[in-house]
């Protein structure tokens, strides 16, 4: 539209000048019309009066046909500056006397009724000479309108000059008023530009107390409020524990808080100006596609206000578990995105820990159930033997031979010893796990201790046709150890080997000094242990899946062995090819292990004295 590029000051000046100009034109036209009409009216009235008086003055001379008197009257009236010509006509249109401009006298007389009918510069008017109702002639006079025209022209120039001066004055005052108004508005414009440029809180000088000054006061109040709002927003963003990132409609980062810098391990300056996908490198391909498509028109992907959990690599390449949500915000015709992100590593670890604890608790519960079942079986068998043979002995004590009575008591004794062994195992495991087991370490020949246990168990082997081969038995292996505890370990390992070895097979025991430790291996030809269970068999109440029919005992022997070997500073492990036997290996280290065992001996002795 016209005038859109004009300044407010120019519009103010032109507007006021236009209004004043229109009013002045109307005033000048009205004044000129009034002057013209009033002067013309007076002129016509004066002309009518003059011609009427002249007609009355010449009436007697016309009636008397006194031409000399008529000439004197004509000469006298022709001296009037406004009279162009004068003519006295008698009866039969006879000119009795005339005077004036010859050219005007030569024209045909046409009376004018008013100034509007004037076709030349002379107002022609006539008046009859009557007496007693009889017309003796007429008087014709032409009056010049030059003075009126000059008067009207002069008044028009004067009014026009006044109007021009007034327009100039109005333009001047309009300029001054526009300057005053636009000066205040210029300050408002400058303040608005400052706010748009991000300088919130900018204050304008207040001059006066008029409406514009009150507008400036309101602007300053608004600017302060915007500053306070921005400060509250910044305080919220930078104190928030979650990472907050704002994006433009193209998905490019425009602002972020300190928590986001920590989360992504990247600086604010490096992140601003990048697309979100360049900073948030997600492992999940579908989530990564969401972020990459952010800001693209008609991407057809709906991700807003949905909580997502993803894994990403931060600025140093570490994996971070992330929970994030993107919200779309529309501000008039502008669209922005706000990303809220949280590091949930600890929560994920807690979840995994809870799952592991739950599984461990379930496994422990299952192991306990298996242990109770096995323990019940192990306890019931010797108890049944004790009860059965004691009842049999009571019934047949009078009739039975001493040999049979002895056999009954021997069976009862064996069953009682089995029960005692079970109870001792439970007590030993409890003491070992609580650190209250007493050890008696001393220098000794480990091969000698192993040989005594092998000799002890050879009797059991003969019943099933088994043989125990103790290799390197003649080589002394001297170290510091608790002989009774190592005997217990060897007894347990060999008993298991005897129990699970097929008849007429061989069990091998080997010993070796590796320099740092003594290594002992017990190998059998039994069913072996599945590869996934080689470590599980050392957990209390646990057994291999191939022995869960109850033939494997209580599941306490191997955990006791591990506790004893650990107390010696060594290690025990199992190896096996399923179906081809198992090999149990333990080591007793030299050197530092001896000092540690000495310290454990002192600690165990102190605990024993304290308990006493």
């Amino acid at each position: 539209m016209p005038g859109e590029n004009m300044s407010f000051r120019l519009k103010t000046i032109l507007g006021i000048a236009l209004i004043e100009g229109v009013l002045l034109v109307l005033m000048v036209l009205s004044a000129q019309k009034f002057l013209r009409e009033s002067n013309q009216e007076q002129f016509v009235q004066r002309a009518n009066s003059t011609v009427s008086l002249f007609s009355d003055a010449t009436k007697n001379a016309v009636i008397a046909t006194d031409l000399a008197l008529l000439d004197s009257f004509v000469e006298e009236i022709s001296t009037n500056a406004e009279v162009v010509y004068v003519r006295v006509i008698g009866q039969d249109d006879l000119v009795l006397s005339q005077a004036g401009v010859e050219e005007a006298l030569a024209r045909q007389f046409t009376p004018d009724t008013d100034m509007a009918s004037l076709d030349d510069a002379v107002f022609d008017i006539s008046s009859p000479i009557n007496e007693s109702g009889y017309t003796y002639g007429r008087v014709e006079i032409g009056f010049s309108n030059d003075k009126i025209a000059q008067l009207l022209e002069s008044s028009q120039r004067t009014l026009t000059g006044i109007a021009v001066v007034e327009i100039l004055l109005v333009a001047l005052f309009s300029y001054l008023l526009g300057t005053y108004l636009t000066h205040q508005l210029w300050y408002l414009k400058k303040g608005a530009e400052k706010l748009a440029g991000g300088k919130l809180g900018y204050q304008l000088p207040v001059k006066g107390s008029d409406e514009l000054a009150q507008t400036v006061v309101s602007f300053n109040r608004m600017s302060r409020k915007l500053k306070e709002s921005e400060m509250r927003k910044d305080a919220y963003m930078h104190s928030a524990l979650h990472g907050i990132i704002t994006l433009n409609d193209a998905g490019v980062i425009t602002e972020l808080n300190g928590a986001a810098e920590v989360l992504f391990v990247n600086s604010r300056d490096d992140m601003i100006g990048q697309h979100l996908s360049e900073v948030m490198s997600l492992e999940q391909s579908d989530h990564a596609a969401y972020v990459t498509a952010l800001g693209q028109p008609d991407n057809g992907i709906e991700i807003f206000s949905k909580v997502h959990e993803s894994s990403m690599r931060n600025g140093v390449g570490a994996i971070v578990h992330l929970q994030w949500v993107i919200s779309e915000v529309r501000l008039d015709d502008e669209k922005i995105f706000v990303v809220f992100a949280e590091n949930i590593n600890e929560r994920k670890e807690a979840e995994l820990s809870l799952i592991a604890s739950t599984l461990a608790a379930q496994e422990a519960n299952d192991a306990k159930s298996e242990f109770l079942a096995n323990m019940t079986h192990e306890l019931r068998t010797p108890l049944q033997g004790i009860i059965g043979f004691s009842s049999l002995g009571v019934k047949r004590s009078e009739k039975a031979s001493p040999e049979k009575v002895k056999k009954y008591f021997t069976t009862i004794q064996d069953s009682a010893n089995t029960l005692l062994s079970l109870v001792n195992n439970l007590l030993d495991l409890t003491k070992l796990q609580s650190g209250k087991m007493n050890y008696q370490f001393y220098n000794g020949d480990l091969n000698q201790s192993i040989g005594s246990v092998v000799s002890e168990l050879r009797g059991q082997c003969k019943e099933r046709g088994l043989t125990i081969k103790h290799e390197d038995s003649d080589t002394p292996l001297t170290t510091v150890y608790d002989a009774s505890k190592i005997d217990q370990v060897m007894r347990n390992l060999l008993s298991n080997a005897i129990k699970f070895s097929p008849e007429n097979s061989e069990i091998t025991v080997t010993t070796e000094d590796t320099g740092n430790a003594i290594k002992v291996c017990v190998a059998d030809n039994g069913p072996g242990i599945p590869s996934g269970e080689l470590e599980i068999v050392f957990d209390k109440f646990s057994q291999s899946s191939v022995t869960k029919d109850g033939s494997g005992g209580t599941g306490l022997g191997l955990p006791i062995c591990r506790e004893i070997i650990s107390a010696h500073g060594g290690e025990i492990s199992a190896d096996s090819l399923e179906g081809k036997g198992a090999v149990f290996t333990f080591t007793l280290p030299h050197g530092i292990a001896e000092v540690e065992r000495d310290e454990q001996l002192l600690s165990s002795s102190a605990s024993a004295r304290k308990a006493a």
Side-chain angles (χ1 to χ4, degrees):
M1 292 179 64
E4 286 185 350
N5 297 325
M6 291 184 184
S7 65
F8 180 77
R9 178 168 62 183
L10 181 58
K11 290 179 181 179
T12 302
I13 295 172
L14 291 179
I16 296 176
L18 180 61
I19 294 172
E20 188 65 24
V22 171
L23 292 176
L24 286 174
V25 169
L26 292 175
M27 184 187 72
V28 169
L29 292 176
S30 298
Q32 286 182 339
K33 181 180 179 182
F34 173 76
L35 289 174
R36 183 174 60 254
E37 290 178 351
S38 62
N39 279 281
Q40 287 177 352
E41 183 179 356
Q42 291 177 7
F43 178 78
V44 173
Q45 288 178 355
R46 189 167 62 251
N48 285 327
S49 298
T50 301
V51 75
S52 179
L53 290 174
F54 186 72
S55 174
D56 290 340
T58 61
K59 180 171 53 176
N60 291 331
V62 171
I63 292 173
T65 317
D66 188 349
L67 296 179
L69 182 59
L70 282 175
D71 289 337
S72 64
F73 282 137
V74 170
E75 289 294 334
E76 182 179 358
I77 196 172
S78 63
T79 59
N80 190 330
E82 290 184 346
V83 175
V84 176
Y85 70 91
V86 60
R87 180 187 297 121
V88 179
I89 299 174
Q91 292 179 342
D92 300 328
D93 292 330
L94 180 63
V95 177
L96 301 177
S97 180
Q98 63 181 8
V101 178
E102 293 295 333
E103 184 181 354
L105 290 171
R107 290 183 309 177
Q108 183 179 356
F109 177 81
T110 302
D112 295 313
T113 57
D114 52 34
M115 297 298 292
S117 61
L118 196 65
D119 57 356
D120 52 21
V122 179
F123 184 76
D124 300 307
I125 188 171
S126 66
S127 177
I129 301 173
N130 296 323
E131 178 62 31
S132 301
Y134 182 77
T135 301
Y136 293 94
R138 64 181 184 276
V139 175
E140 295 177 354
I141 301 177
F143 293 91
S144 173
N145 69 341
D146 289 342
K147 290 184 68 176
I148 294 177
Q150 292 174 1
L151 177 62
L152 292 176
E153 184 178 354
S154 176
S155 64
Q156 185 176 4
R157 286 197 300 269
T158 302
L159 290 173
T160 302
I162 293 172
V164 171
V165 171
E166 187 169 355
I167 288 176
L168 293 175
L169 290 175
V170 168
L172 176 61
F173 287 116
S174 299
Y175 174 80
L176 296 176
L177 177 61
T179 300
Y180 169 74
L181 295 175
T182 55
H183 187 67
Q184 292 285 67
L185 293 177
W186 180 83
Y187 275 121
L188 286 172
K189 177 187 176 184
K190 179 181 178 183
E193 290 174 349
K194 293 288 187 181
L195 289 183
K199 193 173 182 180
L200 303 181
Y202 183 77
Q203 299 292 291
L204 298 175
V206 181
K207 297 181 180 180
S209 58
D210 56 11
E211 289 80 359
L212 282 175
Q214 293 303 315
T215 303
V216 173
V217 171
S218 299
F219 175 88
N220 289 340
R221 187 183 303 114
M222 176 193 69
S223 181
R224 286 195 299 271
K225 293 292 185 182
L226 288 174
K227 179 66 174 180
E228 293 170 2
S229 176
E230 182 70 12
M231 291 176 65
R232 284 194 296 270
K233 185 201 77 173
D234 289 343
Y236 167 74
M237 280 194 63
H238 293 290
S239 63
L241 298 178
H242 296 173
I244 302 175
I245 304 174
T246 58
L247 317 171
N248 61 17
D249 59 354
V252 175
I253 298 173
T254 58
E255 188 56 77
L256 66 148
N257 66 348
E261 294 184 72
V262 175
L263 178 61
F264 292 96
V265 193
N266 211 335
S267 68
R268 179 178 182 276
D269 293 338
D270 290 339
M271 294 173 67
I272 287 181
Q274 295 193 62
H275 192 276
L276 181 63
S277 61
E278 299 176 12
V279 175
M280 198 161 76
S281 178
L282 300 179
E283 297 289 310
Q284 288 80 352
S285 59
D286 54 345
H287 290 180
Y290 294 164
V291 176
T292 302
L294 190 65
Q296 297 179 5
D298 301 327
N299 54 54
I301 299 176
E302 182 59 42
I303 64 172
F304 305 118
S305 301
K306 292 183 179 180
V307 179
H308 303 276
E309 288 189 6
S310 310
S311 299
M312 74 159 192
R313 291 192 178 274
N314 59 21
V316 295
I319 293 292
V320 177
H321 295 288
L322 198 67
Q323 185 179 70
W324 56 279
V325 62
I326 299 180
S327 297
E328 182 182 31
V329 180
R330 291 191 176 273
L331 305 173
D332 295 332
D333 57 347
E334 182 184 3
K335 180 175 68 176
I336 65 173
F337 303 105
V338 181
V339 182
F340 298 88
E342 177 187 6
N343 185 331
I344 57 172
N345 277 357
E346 293 184 0
R347 195 184 78 186
K348 284 293 184 182
E349 291 174 1
E351 290 176 356
L352 294 175
S353 177
L354 179 60
I355 293 172
S357 299
T358 303
L359 292 176
Q362 184 63 41
E363 290 175 0
N365 187 62
D366 294 342
K368 182 186 71 175
S369 298
E370 291 182 10
F371 163 74
L372 291 176
N374 291 335
M375 182 62 70
T376 301
H377 174 76
E378 295 292 333
L379 291 174
R380 183 172 57 187
T381 300
L383 281 174
Q384 285 177 340
I386 292 172
I387 294 172
F389 281 97
S390 62
S391 298
L392 188 62
V394 170
K395 290 179 181 179
R396 299 180 180 181
S397 60
E398 296 179 356
K399 299 179 181 180
S401 64
E403 290 79 10
K404 284 195 174 184
V405 171
K406 182 179 179 182
K407 182 179 179 181
Y408 296 155
F409 279 111
T410 301
T411 304
I412 292 171
Q413 184 181 28
D414 291 341
S415 298
N417 288 332
T418 301
L419 283 177
L420 180 62
S421 175
L422 289 173
V423 173
N424 286 337
N425 281 340
L426 286 173
L427 291 175
D428 287 346
L429 184 59
T430 302
K431 287 181 180 181
L432 288 167
Q433 291 181 334
S434 64
K436 295 181 179 180
M437 177 64 73
N438 293 325
Y439 289 89
Q440 295 180 356
F441 293 103
Y442 67 94
N443 272 318
D445 182 2
L446 187 59
N447 262 334
Q448 185 177 354
S449 295
I450 294 174
S452 64
V453 175
V454 170
S455 299
E456 177 187 331
L457 296 177
R458 277 201 170 99
Q460 296 182 19
C461 293
K462 288 181 180 180
E463 297 176 0
R464 300 184 58 210
L466 301 175
T467 59
I468 300 177
K469 182 180 179 180
H470 181 194
E471 298 179 354
D472 298 328
S473 59
D474 297 332
T475 304
L477 294 174
T478 304
T479 187
V480 176
Y481 66 100
D482 185 322
S484 63
K485 299 297 187 295
I486 297 301
D487 288 353
Q488 185 177 354
V489 171
M490 286 302 303
R491 193 176 291 112
N492 194 299
L493 295 179
L494 287 172
S495 295
N496 285 341
I498 293 170
K499 184 185 298 184
F500 297 115
S501 292
E503 292 183 356
N504 302 316
S505 63
E506 184 179 71
I507 299 170
T508 304
V509 179
T510 60
T511 57
E512 178 185 2
D513 191 342
T514 62
N516 294 326
I518 296 176
K519 182 171 73 172
V520 179
C521 297
V522 177
D524 62 50
N525 292 295
I529 303 171
S531 59
E533 299 176 3
L534 293 175
E535 187 63 25
I536 295 176
V537 294
F538 291 99
D539 295 338
K540 59 184 178 181
F541 311 130
S542 296
Q543 298 180 45
S544 170
S545 58
V546 298
T547 63
K548 284 189 177 181
D549 56 355
S551 63
T554 61
L556 295 176
L558 291 178
I560 290 174
C561 290
R562 170 160 283 183
E563 293 290 340
I564 292 174
I565 297 301
S566 295
H568 283 72
E571 295 178 352
I572 185 171
S573 61
D575 194 9
S576 173
L577 290 176
E578 191 170 353
K580 295 184 179 181
V583 178
F584 285 87
T585 304
F586 68 87
T587 59
L588 298 179
H590 294 302
I592 298 176
E594 296 176 2
V595 177
E596 292 175 348
R597 291 196 290 273
D598 290 342
E599 292 177 350
Q600 291 176 2
L601 175 60
L602 294 174
S603 176
S604 299
S605 300
S607 299
R609 287 195 300 270
K610 184 176 180 180

